[in-house]
Amino acid sequence: MCSRFELNADPGALARRFGLTAPPPWPQASERRPTDAILVIGADGFGLMPWGLAVEWQPAPLINARAETLAAKATFRPLLSGGRVLVLASAWWEWPGRVKTRIAPVDADLLAFAGLSDGRGVVIVTCAPSAGLAAVHDRMPVILPPESGAAWIDGSKPFEAVAPLLRPHAGPFAITAAPRRQPDLFG
DNA sequence: CCAGACGTTGTT
DNA sequence: GTCTGG
DNA sequence: CCAGACGTTGTT
DNA sequence: GTCTGG
């Protein structure tokens, strides 16, 4: 996964579901790419934050972090207690066979991805794919079910206590190829 | 991911 | 810049 | 201490 | 080189 996702939802409904104190700031477009502002909820509040964690040793920011190795990576270790956040989404895309393919939950309008933030940027945590998505891609974002979101962002819980949440979400997911743009007038 | 565009004025 | 491996 | 890695996905 | 579309 995950060089692109979508946030297409009603801000008021989102605020109610996540108990926000006010309607959240909203990205300008639903489709989100690395470096775009994305909606993040953490223990200290919510807001827009650039997608990607800046590192000094390469020009492009890191956008993903493997769940399996988080605790072993010096880059992510400092974020494991105080930097756990939710990244709000409604779907994400993969490119099996280079065909843009949308993956969205069948039974929900919103997804909460597990994220890690240093206060300046965010990475999305990835895991192995669920059975239903294995044919699409070999990774997927960690999706936290509604009952797990609060625990993930609770910095008073040690990372070891929430690490078991970082597992593939079974779905079900709707997998749909993006329609090709209509040939315009005159082809 | 890769491929393809990346611009404007004035318009059918 | 900071961490890890040797 | 110094040298080299440091991240992920997808791939040369 | 970087952005956009699929």
Side-chain angles (χ1 to χ4, degrees):
Chain A
M1 111 123 245
C2 236
S3 53
R4 209 176 311 185
F5 67 90
E6 173 199 86
L7 176 58
N8 187 2
D10 173 52
L14 187 151
R16 283 191 295 279
R17 168 171 160 183
F18 290 93
L20 306 185
T21 54
W26 207 255
Q28 297 209 338
S30 62
E31 196 162 329
R32 304 286 79 196
R33 297 182 186 232
T35 73
D36 288 348
I38 61 177
L39 179 56
V40 172
I41 300 176
D44 300 326
F46 55 91
L48 297 176
M49 184 172 281
W51 182 10
L53 194 70
V55 290
E56 321 76 55
W57 41 272
Q58 72 158 32
L62 308 178
I63 61 168
N64 293 152
R66 296 175 65 88
E68 299 91 328
T69 54
L70 280 183
K73 301 294 184 180
T75 301
F76 301 131
R77 213 177 296 133
L79 314 179
L80 292 182
S81 54
R84 303 197 306 257
V85 298
L86 305 178
V87 173
L88 280 296
S90 52
W92 75 97
W93 283 282
E94 295 294 352
W95 284 265
R98 295 177 201 169
V99 176
K100 186 182 185 182
T101 302
R102 183 172 182 271
I103 304 159
V106 169
D107 50 13
D109 295 328
L110 280 172
L111 295 169
F113 294 157
L116 292 170
S117 173
D118 64 355
R120 312 255 313 136
V122 196
V123 294
I124 294 171
V125 181
T126 68
C127 60
S130 64
L133 295 181
V136 178
H137 196 54
D138 63 352
R139 304 294 293 172
M140 70 183 285
V142 170
I143 295 165
L144 298 173
E147 65 273 18
S148 301
W152 174 250
I153 65 177
D154 181 351
S156 71
K157 295 186 188 300
F159 175 69
E160 310 78 64
V162 293
L165 299 175
L166 303 178
R167 60 179 185 270
H169 191 289
F173 298 103
I175 301 167
T176 53
R180 294 215 148 238
R181 187 172 58 89
Q182 289 289 336
D184 58 19
L185 229 47
F186 313 116

